[in-house]
Amino acid sequence: MLEGAKKNHEKAVCFLRKSMARIHEENAKEEVKTQEHMEKRIQAVLSLKNSITSNREKLQALQAWNKAMAFEAKKEELKRREAILAEGGNVAKEIFLHKRLLQHEREKQAFREQQKSRKIEIVSRILQEKASICKQKNRQSCSKASKSGGKLKDSLLWRKKTWHYIEKSCKHPAGAISQLRCSPAEEQADGERTAFVGDDVLCESVEDEKEKDETLVEPEFPGLWSQECDLHKVPSEDKDTKQLALSVVKREIFEKKMEDFQTTVSHKQIVSGHEPKGRTFYSKPSYVHFKDFDVGKIYKKKIVLTNASYSVNFCRLVGISEWLKDFITIQFEPPGKMSPGMSCEVGVTFKPAIDENLEGEVMFMAQTGSFSVPLKCTAKTCILALDKVLIDFGTRVVGETISRTINLTNTGALGTRFKVQASAGDSSTCRATAKSSPGNTALKAQFKLSEQLTQGALSFRSDLDTDNAHNLMEPSPEETSHEIMLGKVTEGEIGPFSSVKLQIIFVPAIPGAVRAEFVIVFDNSDCKPLCFSAIGVSVDVPVWVPNPNIDLKICMYDRLYQDCVVIQSRAKATLRLKFEVCKELSKHMELLPKTGYIQAQSSFTVQLKFLPRHSLPQDAGSYFNEETSVLEAPVTILIADKTKQVNFTVHAIVTTSELEISPAEIDFGYCTIYEAVQTNVTLTNKSILPQEFGFVELPEFVEIQPNDGFSVLLPLESLTLDIIFKANKAKEYSFELTCKSESNRRFKLSCRAVGVHPPLELSHSLVQFAATALNDVSTATLYVMNSHVSVNHITHAVPRIGNGEVAPVGPTSFEFYVPEDCPVTVMPSVGTVLPGKKSLIQVSFRPTLSDQLIREEAARRLCRAAATGAEIQKKKKDEKREGKKLNVPITRQQSSRQFVRDGSSKYLSSSSSSEQPESEEIKPDSEGYMAAQAFLMRNFRGRFEKYIIPCFVASGNIDEKRGSENLTCSPCNTLYLELHCPAVAPSVVVTSDNGKNIVNFGDVAVGHTIIQRVTIQNISSEKLELGFSVLNPGGPFLLVRPVRILEPGDNKALIISFSPNENKWFFEALDIRTAQKNLTLSISGRGVMPSIVCSVEEVLDMGYVLAREKTTSTFEIQNTSTLTLRYSIQLDSLSPTRNKDQQRLPSFLTSSLQRTEIVGTQNYSGLSVFSIFPTQGEIVAGKSQDFVVTFSPDHESLYYSDRLKVVLFGKKTAHVIQLKGAAREHPMFVEGGIPLDVPIESLAVMLPVSSQEALKEELQEPVKSILLVLEHIEGENSLVPAKTELRVGAIRTAQFASKKNVEFSFDNLSLLQKKGFTVEFVKGTVDRGQVKFIGVSWVPPADLDTTDPVIETALLTLKGDVKESYRIICMAKVVSACAPSN
């Protein structure tokens, strides 16, 4: 058994080791995989970071480029505006038309792009269908010869059908020519657009590519699925076994291909839960373009395919378009699996065999679907264009010869021959007969005709097609214009990428407008004819003005404008000319010379002078439009011996040069020499021309802003100017300001003011506070100075108002008036400054949120809460109704929740049903008010406010009792203090105590310490390093635990302690400093000296009591301070140091002068003789507390005593009371005189004596001796005796209530009487609880020896429950009046 157990144990250990090893291997593999995964993630994060950085740089560059382009656009617009203004055009209209033109161009471009994309889409679909049909035909054909022979033919046939379909479907709405090679330039541009648009068309989704592939697969057996292929069916009688076998083989091949295609169906890539969108492979270049190829040559290009997916992908070549297989060869080695970002190369070889354009695509298959790269082959073409389609010769004289050129440019790679001819048909010469006097009408007709010709030429070119090209080349000789003709070059060869200049000559022969149309035809059939037009106007007047419209632009009244008018002559003889201006304008316009001679075929210059007067609107009549201020003045040139006359027109816009200043007079009023007074004037330009102006020759005490009074006023513009006046001395000012315009006109502005020199001055009239956070304080200091020490106005300037009386020398008072809602404090606001002195002023700015704003926000929040509560209540009611309908059982937890919700909904409904509180009803200490204040403070955006504080000045001293009522101040002497107060949101706020920045400790007893916590929060988005101001080291406040770093949103607590050492108020400010803003905590507290009043001052005598009985007494302590006092009552007999004090020498061993014993006789039982209730508690301010003292002795003694201390707050002894009491075994006592026994008891306990021993003692000596001392003062009236007294008392007690009263009697009085002593009561009785006073007097006898005292003894006997005897020792002596009494 043991051996079997051991073997089993060994096997188990072996298996356990193998298991542990396997587990360790698995853990190691998992760790390796985890590390690899982490490395991949780190690399991904780093690559993402790099891509983000690069994208950010690209975005910044793009933004900078956009800004630069916007800036350039603005500059262009400004230049355009300036050019339009310089030409005198309408700026708004021209800008609007320009924007409309740009918008039209953009829409036109977008339409072209849309048409091009549609064309590409249609072409791609047609080509795909063509490829599929060709594939079907190739598979169905049995003969290779027929297959090779019909391939090119079918390809050309399909290409022609494709372009015909495109021409029909994509024809332009305006009738534009849709052709393959209409214009070489357009073809090149369209090819580029096709490349870019083709990317968008071919980059379709994977699902669209699947559908396209399916449509290409289906037609492989057209006879099975479509009835359109009935023509390809073979008659049933011709079928044989071979055909059946062939069909079976084809079907098996088709099924196999279908299975292969299904296995290659794309799979979606899902990375990190997201499916990538867009193309998975990008090609560079995006499309392959073989441009301007030659047949027979070989061209090669390379394509780089990049994996743009998020995972490993593969790529294999599917093929190319069917019609490209004879010309395109692809070199591609499958790279296998490609990681994201990897790329492979594809070689494309093109060997052209035909001179035609080819388009197709290279198709690939990836794991995520198929994609293709567009391929285009473009043959050499002619791209011909003209630089202009209209040649305008302008107005020319009959007999002149004018030449113009037009450029024919070929931007294609193929040259051709051209021929320029005049066109036929409606493009023949058109003429408008000119009138004898060419003027404005002829010019307008010419302008309209040129516009019509331009539009006709454009429409003619757009409507031209190939069919009428031959008609254009055969013009009619009768209709051909001989005035506009071609130059030497009419035909020739234009090579590739070259241009040819064509000359057009205009020789006017008949007056009128002439138009000619020309057409350029080319040998290349693919090039359409190009058309252009030429227009011109001819006149037959021998004298003409080259510029018939003299435009003087904009002119001003009373200014001379001159221009030269050039007159040309085509006559062959000298002519005499006379120049006439209409009578209405003879006062304003003149031509010099008025008569002149012009030589044959030469020019003559006349000087035109135009000086418009202000009477021009009345004199000109119909030639002047008062609304537009436009002048059109006709001028006539008369030719001698000629009936015809030449007219030209002078155009001008006449405007005024007036500048209007409003108001025309300024009164600045009273202005002190320490401030500036500003007023505004409006300067209006009445002209329609910009005018420069400037205020010149300004006095030194006047300033004009902006730009120092120099600027430019646009037409009819008004500008507000600030006129700043600063008096330099006290006097009356009256002056004029001169505004000078660009036309050297002067405009006056009258001004007057009174300068005031006030008696006081401010060291700073402007205080700019730093940005202050809410509830923070910024402080600035300045001085109010009185520099008026002498009335001598010769040596220095003296205070006065204008030229008035000088202010008196003496104390001068001031008062700052701060508005009520201003968050500014001026300390002191009222004061008096002596001559030659200055007073310090402290200005504090404490920005806060207005109370009204906080109340309104609180009211809004309450309204929102009420509305939300009403919605919740409504939803819960609906839920309850649905729950009742469904009768669903509710668990205990659900029912408890429902109960809580119902309770809250009731509360909300009650709050919402009641009227919403007004903002005035919200209390400042309510939660809503505090929440609104915290919300506004956290969302404060900052504000800037400017305040002007007036300071009133009066001569004299302010009476503290009456104030400033006895002083009179002049408003002219008022000083002004300007304050700039920016307020910002705080970085740190107080969250404790409802967000208050005030820490008030209240009343604290002197010598005690109280701690408070202040919680602060960082409401900014930055980490703050806090600093704190230094509190007064000798003060009572101490920052126990500061906070150094505060993260965004963190809350931390500051601990501040207060330990007053004096009876007064303490104030300090603790600044919590950040990098930019501060938070000020106002700390205050009052140290209060605790004070009480006790009804017992020093001694509380409990009187006599029987031993082992009790008596009580009450005294009162009143709290006369302003804080609650915490007290404790202490007895010296219970002091913990009493045992230590008892180790000293007994007090009876010391002299009487050194005895300071306080605690007297104590009980034998160890219990305290005196007890007080209560021993501790609190006394509220102004209240009182009664204390009960209980006296309970346990044996007879006359020297029970103790000391009671009233201790406040456990530290300070506020009051001390001496407690005394006496105890007797019998209810009677005698007191008075001087006791002769020892006041300290023996340390041994005296046992009570027996009754027999007591009877024996009665017969013995008296129990006690009492010394009575009587002193008679010598020199006074001898009849006045010396007096003293004894007190005999009976103790009231229930123990001896049935017994009689106490009796007393004196013995041996005869001896006393002999020596002059007299006793008032010899015998008598004393009731219980009463005291009998027995008076003893002494008159010295006549034979008395005053050197020695008189001593005599008497016996006093008391009878109560026992009999007691007292020895009364009477000692009398005579003392002098000046001797001190002992």
Side-chain angles (χ1 to χ4, degrees):
M1 293 292 289
L2 292 174
E3 291 178 357
K6 288 181 179 178
K7 291 180 180 180
N8 293 334
H9 179 68
E10 290 177 357
K11 291 181 179 180
V13 170
C14 183
F15 287 134
L16 180 61
R17 289 177 179 174
K18 291 181 179 179
S19 301
M20 293 299 293
R22 186 169 58 255
I23 290 172
H24 287 311
E25 289 179 0
E26 292 178 355
N27 292 337
K29 292 180 180 178
E30 290 181 356
E31 288 180 357
V32 172
K33 289 181 180 179
T34 304
Q35 291 179 357
E36 292 178 355
H37 180 64
M38 290 301 295
E39 289 179 358
K40 290 181 180 179
R41 292 185 64 184
I42 291 171
Q43 293 297 329
V45 170
L46 292 176
S47 63
L48 178 62
K49 183 178 180 182
N50 295 331
S51 63
I52 290 172
T53 305
S54 62
N55 291 336
R56 185 183 295 112
E57 293 176 355
K58 293 179 181 178
L59 183 60
Q60 290 177 355
L62 183 60
Q63 290 176 353
W65 185 80
N66 290 335
K67 289 182 180 178
M69 293 300 295
F71 181 71
E72 290 294 332
K74 288 184 179 179
K75 288 177 62 178
E76 290 294 333
E77 186 176 355
L78 289 175
K79 290 181 180 178
R80 192 177 297 108
R81 286 177 177 270
E82 292 176 357
I84 295 171
L85 285 174
E87 294 176 0
N90 191 345
V91 178
K93 181 179 178 181
E94 294 294 336
I95 294 296
F96 175 74
L97 292 177
H98 181 69
K99 291 183 178 179
R100 287 290 299 272
L101 181 60
L102 292 179
Q103 183 179 1
H104 178 69
E105 290 294 333
R106 286 194 293 269
E107 293 176 355
K108 188 176 178 181
Q109 185 67 22
F111 179 75
R112 288 179 179 175
E113 296 292 338
Q114 183 181 2
Q115 290 294 95
K116 189 61 64 180
S117 64
R118 287 182 58 194
K119 182 189 294 185
I120 292 173
E121 183 179 358
I122 294 170
V123 169
S124 62
R125 291 187 180 273
I126 291 174
L127 293 177
Q128 287 179 0
E129 293 178 2
K130 175 187 172 184
S132 63
I133 294 172
C134 291
K135 189 175 182 182
Q136 294 173 14
K137 290 182 179 181
N138 293 334
R139 290 184 178 181
Q140 290 176 0
S141 62
C142 301
S143 174
K144 294 184 179 179
S146 62
K147 176 181 178 181
S148 61
K151 184 185 297 181
L152 181 59
K153 184 177 180 181
D154 294 339
S155 176
L156 296 175
L157 179 62
W158 274 103
R159 186 175 295 109
K160 291 181 180 179
K161 290 183 179 180
T162 299
W163 289 118
H164 282 300
Y165 178 74
I166 292 171
E167 290 176 359
K168 293 178 182 179
S169 60
C170 299
K171 182 169 285 188
H172 197 277
I177 298 174
S178 302
Q179 55 183 1
L180 177 61
R181 295 172 186 155
C182 174
S183 173
E186 292 181 358
E187 182 179 353
Q188 183 179 3
D190 293 344
E192 294 177 356
R193 296 193 198 102
T194 305
F196 290 103
V197 178
D199 292 342
D200 299 334
V201 174
L202 297 174
C203 294
E204 294 178 345
S205 63
V206 179
E207 296 179 357
D208 296 337
E209 292 177 0
K210 287 182 181 178
E211 294 176 1
K212 294 176 184 178
D213 294 338
E214 290 177 0
T215 57
L216 295 176
V217 172
E218 287 179 0
E220 197 166 354
F221 297 95
L224 297 178
W225 297 324
S226 177
Q227 296 181 0
E228 296 177 359
C229 300
D230 292 341
L231 297 175
H232 302 283
K233 288 185 178 179
V234 181
S236 60
E237 59 268 20
D238 296 336
K239 291 183 178 178
D240 55 1
T241 56
K242 293 182 179 181
Q243 292 176 350
L244 293 174
L246 183 61
S247 64
V248 171
V249 172
K250 288 183 177 179
R251 187 176 301 170
E252 290 178 357
I253 293 172
F254 173 72
E255 291 177 356
K256 186 177 180 181
K257 287 187 177 181
M258 286 294 296
E259 291 177 358
D260 295 340
F261 180 77
Q262 289 177 358
T263 57
T264 58
V265 172
S266 62
H267 300 281
K268 294 183 179 180
Q269 287 186 342
I270 299 178
V271 180
S272 301
H274 298 281
E275 180 181 353
K277 297 181 180 180
R279 299 185 62 180
T280 56
F281 276 86
Y282 285 95
S283 65
K284 185 177 181 181
S286 59
Y287 74 100
V288 181
H289 188 193
F290 293 97
K291 187 178 179 182
D292 298 334
F293 63 83
D294 292 326
V295 177
K297 293 185 179 181
I298 298 175
Y299 301 91
K300 294 183 180 181
K301 287 198 174 184
K302 185 175 64 176
I303 306 174
V304 179
L305 299 179
T306 304
N307 182 10
S309 62
Y310 295 155
S311 63
V312 177
N313 207 336
F314 68 87
C315 173
R316 65 182 178 88
L317 177 65
V318 176
I320 62 175
S321 300
E322 190 70 24
W323 53 89
L324 297 179
K325 289 184 178 179
D326 294 336
F327 316 107
I328 300 296
T329 305
I330 305 297
Q331 295 84 28
F332 178 68
E333 294 181 2
K337 293 185 179 181
M338 299 174 62
S339 300
M342 299 298 293
S343 60
C344 63
E345 294 183 355
V346 180
V348 182
T349 304
F350 174 49
K351 185 176 181 181
I354 57 175
D355 190 13
E356 291 185 2
N357 293 340
L358 301 175
E359 288 189 10
E361 58 185 358
V362 184
M363 294 168 286
F364 298 89
M365 176 63 71
Q367 184 178 358
T368 53
S370 62
F371 66 95
S372 61
V373 179
L375 189 146
K376 185 177 180 180
C377 304
T378 306
K380 291 184 177 180
T381 59
C382 293
I383 304 175
L384 300 170
L386 294 173
D387 61 346
K388 51 190 172 182
V389 295
L390 177 64
I391 301 175
D392 189 1
F393 289 96
T395 303
R396 299 299 173 180
V397 181
V398 176
E400 286 186 280
T401 301
I402 303 96
S403 175
R404 295 285 187 269
T405 59
I406 184 171
N407 292 329
L408 175 62
T409 305
N410 181 13
T411 58
L414 184 63
T416 184
R417 287 191 61 82
F418 68 92
K419 185 177 182 180
V420 185
Q421 295 180 358
S423 62
D426 56 354
S427 60
S428 60
T429 304
C430 298
R431 183 177 301 281
T433 304
K435 294 183 182 181
S436 59
S437 58
N440 294 332
T441 308
L443 292 171
K444 292 179 181 178
Q446 176 190 358
F447 181 75
K448 292 180 180 180
L449 182 60
S450 64
E451 287 186 347
Q452 293 174 1
L453 290 175
T454 304
Q455 295 178 359
L458 292 175
S459 63
F460 172 79
R461 185 172 182 267
S462 63
D463 296 336
L464 195 64
D465 55 7
T466 335
D467 297 332
N468 57 9
H470 299 286
N471 297 329
L472 293 174
M473 290 187 291
E474 297 176 358
S476 175
E478 298 178 356
E479 297 175 350
T480 304
S481 174
H482 297 285
E483 296 181 337
I484 300 178
M485 63 189 70
L486 295 172
K488 293 181 180 181
V489 180
T490 58
E491 59 181 344
E493 182 78 22
I494 181 168
F497 306 106
S498 62
S499 62
V500 175
K501 290 185 178 181
L502 304 177
Q503 186 178 20
I504 310 298
I505 301 172
F506 177 38
V507 182
I510 303 173
V514 182
R515 176 174 64 89
E517 298 289 341
F518 298 92
V519 61
I520 307 174
V521 294
F522 307 95
D523 290 348
N524 193 337
S525 60
D526 294 331
C527 298
K528 295 296 180 179
L530 300 179
C531 299
F532 64 94
S533 304
I535 60 174
V537 179
S538 59
V539 293
D540 61 347
V541 181
V543 175
W544 82 95
V545 180
N547 185 14
N549 291 303
I550 308 299
D551 190 2
L552 298 179
K553 307 293 184 181
I554 302 175
C555 305
M556 291 185 179
Y557 287 106
D558 298 328
R559 297 191 69 182
L560 178 62
Y561 297 91
Q562 299 184 15
D563 198 359
C564 292
V565 181
V566 179
I567 302 169
Q568 297 285 346
S569 174
R570 66 175 62 92
K572 297 182 180 180
T574 303
L575 299 177
R576 185 168 61 89
L577 304 179
K578 183 179 181 182
F579 306 98
E580 291 184 358
V581 181
C582 59
K583 297 180 180 179
E584 292 85 352
L585 299 174
S586 59
K587 296 181 180 179
H588 311 277
M589 187 178 297
E590 185 180 6
L591 287 171
L592 296 177
K594 295 182 180 181
T595 302
Y597 291 89
I598 183 170
Q599 300 298 324
Q601 297 181 355
S602 64
S603 61
F604 183 79
T605 303
V606 181
Q607 187 75 17
L608 173 64
K609 292 186 177 182
F610 179 54
L611 181 62
R613 312 289 183 182
H614 286 280
S615 61
L616 178 64
Q618 293 79 21
D619 297 341
S622 60
Y623 299 113
F624 183 78
N625 190 341
E626 295 186 3
E627 294 181 357
T628 60
S629 300
V630 176
L631 174 67
E632 292 184 1
V635 180
T636 304
I637 303 176
L638 300 177
I639 305 172
D641 302 330
K642 298 289 183 181
T643 57
K644 293 182 180 181
Q645 58 183 10
V646 179
N647 295 331
F648 67 91
T649 307
V650 178
H651 297 270
I653 300 175
V654 185
T655 182
T656 181
S657 61
E658 192 74 23
L659 292 179
E660 181 182 2
I661 302 177
S662 177
E665 185 177 355
I666 298 176
D667 186 3
F668 291 98
Y670 293 91
C671 177
T672 65
I673 62 174
Y674 305 121
E675 64 182 3
V677 178
Q678 174 184 329
T679 186
N680 298 329
V681 296
T682 303
L683 187 62
T684 305
N685 181 11
K686 295 295 184 178
S687 174
I688 60 174
L689 280 177
Q691 292 197 73
E692 295 182 359
F693 71 92
F695 283 85
V696 297
E697 300 177 359
L698 293 177
E700 61 180 2
F701 46 80
V702 174
E703 181 182 358
I704 300 178
Q705 293 297 335
N707 299 326
D708 296 327
F710 290 84
S711 184
V712 178
L713 277 175
L714 297 179
L716 304 177
E717 183 188 13
S718 296
L719 179 64
T720 302
L721 299 175
D722 297 332
I723 311 297
I724 304 172
F725 170 74
K726 186 174 182 181
N728 50 15
K729 59 182 177 179
K731 69 173 186 177
E732 294 182 358
Y733 293 86
S734 180
F735 53 92
E736 286 186 348
L737 301 179
T738 303
C739 176
K740 190 175 181 180
S741 67
E742 183 182 4
S743 59
N744 203 22
R745 293 192 61 184
R746 293 176 178 266
F747 304 92
K748 300 293 184 179
L749 176 62
S750 300
C751 304
R752 63 175 182 271
V754 177
V756 178
H757 188 166
L760 299 179
E761 62 177 308
L762 299 176
S763 59
H764 299 84
S765 59
L766 174 63
V767 176
Q768 295 179 341
F769 289 102
T772 308
L774 291 177
N775 298 326
D776 195 6
V777 180
S778 295
T779 305
T781 58
L782 53 95
Y783 292 92
V784 178
M785 299 179 292
N786 185 359
S787 57
H788 182 39
V789 295
S790 174
V791 295
N792 188 357
H793 65 278
I794 299 175
T795 58
H796 61 279
V798 293
R800 64 170 62 182
I801 299 174
N803 297 326
E805 297 181 356
V806 179
V809 178
T812 306
S813 303
F814 65 89
E815 179 180 0
F816 287 92
Y817 179 75
V818 182
E820 294 181 358
D821 298 334
C822 180
V824 174
T825 305
V826 180
M827 294 295 293
S829 60
V830 181
T832 302
V833 185
L834 298 178
K837 303 294 182 180
K838 59 182 179 180
S839 177
L840 178 65
I841 304 297
Q842 186 174 9
V843 185
S844 301
F845 169 52
R846 181 189 294 272
T848 56
L849 295 172
S850 65
D851 183 70
Q852 182 64 26
L853 183 63
I854 298 174
R855 291 179 184 274
E856 292 176 358
E857 178 63 25
R860 283 195 295 269
R861 295 172 70 90
L862 290 176
C863 291
R864 287 195 295 267
T868 306
E871 292 179 1
I872 295 174
Q873 182 183 7
K874 184 178 180 181
K875 290 181 181 179
K876 290 181 178 178
K877 286 182 180 180
D878 296 340
E879 291 176 0
K880 286 182 180 179
R881 293 174 183 173
E882 293 177 359
K884 289 180 181 179
K885 291 179 181 179
L886 297 175
N887 294 323
V888 179
I890 302 174
T891 62
R892 179 178 299 177
Q893 184 178 5
Q894 291 175 347
S895 61
S896 63
R897 291 177 181 174
Q898 187 67 26
F899 174 75
V900 174
R901 292 175 182 174
D902 292 344
S904 62
S905 65
K906 289 179 182 179
Y907 172 75
L908 290 172
S909 63
S910 62
S911 63
S912 62
S913 60
S914 61
E915 296 182 358
Q916 297 299 330
E918 298 293 336
S919 58
E920 291 78 8
E921 298 177 359
I922 299 175
K923 297 181 179 180
D925 55 350
S926 62
E927 294 184 0
Y929 187 92
M930 298 299 176
Q933 184 178 11
F935 174 79
L936 292 175
M937 185 174 295
R938 292 174 184 272
N939 295 274
F940 185 70
R941 298 298 180 88
R943 64 170 180 257
F944 179 82
E945 295 176 345
K946 185 186 295 185
Y947 301 98
I948 297 179
I949 310 299
C951 176
F952 300 104
V953 179
S955 298
N957 196 349
I958 293 181
D959 191 354
E960 295 182 357
K961 296 181 180 180
R962 298 182 181 178
S964 60
E965 296 178 357
N966 57 344
L967 300 179
T968 57
C969 65
S970 174
C972 303
N973 290 325
T974 303
L975 303 175
Y976 294 94
L977 176 63
E978 184 175 354
L979 306 177
H980 292 179
C981 306
V984 295
S987 301
V988 181
V989 296
V990 178
T991 57
S992 59
D993 196 14
N994 294 324
K996 294 182 179 178
N997 290 11
I998 299 175
V999 183
N1000 187 7
F1001 286 90
D1003 295 337
V1004 179
V1006 175
H1008 294 267
T1009 301
I1010 289 183
I1011 294 176
Q1012 282 197 14
R1013 293 176 178 268
V1014 180
T1015 305
I1016 58 176
Q1017 182 183 11
N1018 179 8
I1019 63 174
S1020 66
S1021 59
E1022 299 178 356
K1023 178 180 177 181
L1024 298 178
E1025 294 183 1
L1026 304 183
F1028 299 88
S1029 61
V1030 179
L1031 296 173
N1032 184 8
F1037 298 106
L1038 176 64
L1039 181 59
V1040 179
R1041 189 178 70 186
V1043 177
R1044 296 302 179 189
I1045 297 177
L1046 201 59
E1047 298 290 340
D1050 281 1
N1051 289 276
K1052 290 190 179 181
L1054 303 176
I1055 299 178
I1056 304 174
S1057 66
F1058 176 49
S1059 302
N1061 51 7
E1062 295 183 40
N1063 185 14
K1064 67 176 184 179
W1065 276 100
F1066 294 93
F1067 298 93
E1068 280 198 53
L1070 176 63
D1071 293 334
I1072 303 176
R1073 299 169 181 169
T1074 61
Q1076 297 178 352
K1077 306 167 186 176
N1078 296 338
L1079 174 64
T1080 302
L1081 296 180
S1082 299
I1083 310 175
S1084 63
R1086 186 173 71 167
V1088 178
M1089 185 69 69
S1091 60
I1092 59 174
V1093 175
C1094 184
S1095 59
V1096 177
E1097 294 183 357
E1098 295 181 359
V1099 179
L1100 176 60
D1101 192 352
M1102 304 297 294
Y1104 285 83
V1105 65
L1106 288 178
R1108 293 171 294 282
E1109 288 191 1
K1110 297 180 180 179
T1111 184
T1112 60
S1113 179
T1114 302
F1115 67 92
E1116 181 185 61
I1117 295 178
Q1118 183 180 2
N1119 182 7
T1120 58
S1121 61
T1122 58
L1123 74 160
T1124 301
L1125 301 179
R1126 188 173 67 253
Y1127 67 87
S1128 62
I1129 306 299
Q1130 298 179 3
L1131 294 175
D1132 284 1
S1133 60
L1134 302 178
S1135 173
T1137 61
R1138 184 165 180 261
N1139 293 331
K1140 183 179 179 180
D1141 296 339
Q1142 287 179 346
Q1143 302 302 323
R1144 302 172 184 172
L1145 292 175
S1147 58
F1148 60 82
L1149 296 179
T1150 60
S1151 62
S1152 58
L1153 298 176
Q1154 296 178 353
R1155 293 179 184 178
T1156 59
E1157 66 273 2
I1158 297 173
V1159 180
T1161 305
Q1162 297 297 311
N1163 288 336
Y1164 294 149
S1165 63
L1167 298 176
S1168 178
V1169 180
F1170 300 94
S1171 61
I1172 297 92
F1173 180 82
T1175 58
Q1176 62 184 2
E1178 292 182 350
I1179 305 176
V1180 182
K1183 302 295 182 180
S1184 58
Q1185 177 69 41
D1186 292 335
F1187 296 88
V1188 178
V1189 181
T1190 303
F1191 177 49
S1192 54
D1194 62 353
H1195 66 279
E1196 180 177 349
S1197 177
L1198 300 179
Y1199 302 104
Y1200 284 106
S1201 65
D1202 205 340
R1203 184 165 63 183
L1204 181 148
K1205 296 180 181 179
V1206 180
V1207 181
L1208 300 179
F1209 302 103
K1211 292 183 179 181
K1212 179 183 178 182
T1213 301
H1215 193 70
V1216 177
I1217 300 176
Q1218 187 72 30
L1219 302 178
K1220 291 183 179 181
R1224 294 297 307 277
E1225 294 289 343
H1226 306 286
M1228 48 191 176
F1229 63 88
V1230 177
E1231 62 180 356
I1234 300 174
L1236 299 178
D1237 56 350
V1238 180
I1240 304 300
E1241 291 185 348
S1242 173
L1243 298 177
V1245 178
M1246 302 299 295
L1247 297 175
V1249 296
S1250 61
S1251 60
Q1252 294 180 357
E1253 291 176 353
L1255 292 173
K1256 291 180 181 179
E1257 287 178 358
E1258 291 180 356
L1259 301 176
Q1260 294 175 359
E1261 296 296 327
V1263 294
K1264 291 184 179 180
S1265 298
I1266 298 174
L1267 175 61
L1268 297 177
V1269 178
L1270 293 91
E1271 295 180 349
H1272 182 77
I1273 299 175
E1274 185 180 3
E1276 294 183 356
N1277 189 0
S1278 59
L1279 298 178
V1280 178
K1283 294 181 179 181
T1284 188
E1285 63 180 7
L1286 288 173
R1287 295 180 292 281
V1288 178
I1291 301 173
R1292 184 188 299 276
T1293 177
Q1295 184 179 354
F1296 303 99
S1298 60
K1299 296 185 179 181
K1300 60 181 181 179
N1301 298 332
V1302 176
E1303 298 179 355
F1304 68 90
S1305 62
F1306 282 93
D1307 296 333
N1308 300 327
L1309 291 178
S1310 59
L1311 296 175
L1312 295 175
Q1313 293 176 354
K1314 288 182 180 180
K1315 294 186 177 181
F1317 294 96
T1318 303
V1319 179
E1320 185 177 1
F1321 301 104
V1322 178
K1323 62 173 61 175
T1325 60
V1326 182
D1327 297 335
R1328 299 290 181 179
Q1330 300 294 324
V1331 177
K1332 189 71 171 181
F1333 293 91
I1334 302 172
V1336 178
S1337 59
W1338 177 69
V1339 177
D1343 55 350
L1344 179 64
D1345 185 5
T1346 58
T1347 58
D1348 296 326
V1350 178
I1351 300 174
E1352 193 58 48
T1353 303
L1355 187 65
L1356 173 62
T1357 304
L1358 301 179
K1359 293 181 180 180
D1361 57 338
V1362 296
K1363 181 179 179 183
E1364 291 182 350
S1365 299
Y1366 292 88
R1367 181 184 295 108
I1368 307 300
I1369 301 173
C1370 297
M1371 183 177 65
K1373 58 182 179 179
V1374 178
V1375 296
S1376 61
C1378 60
S1381 60
N1382 297 329

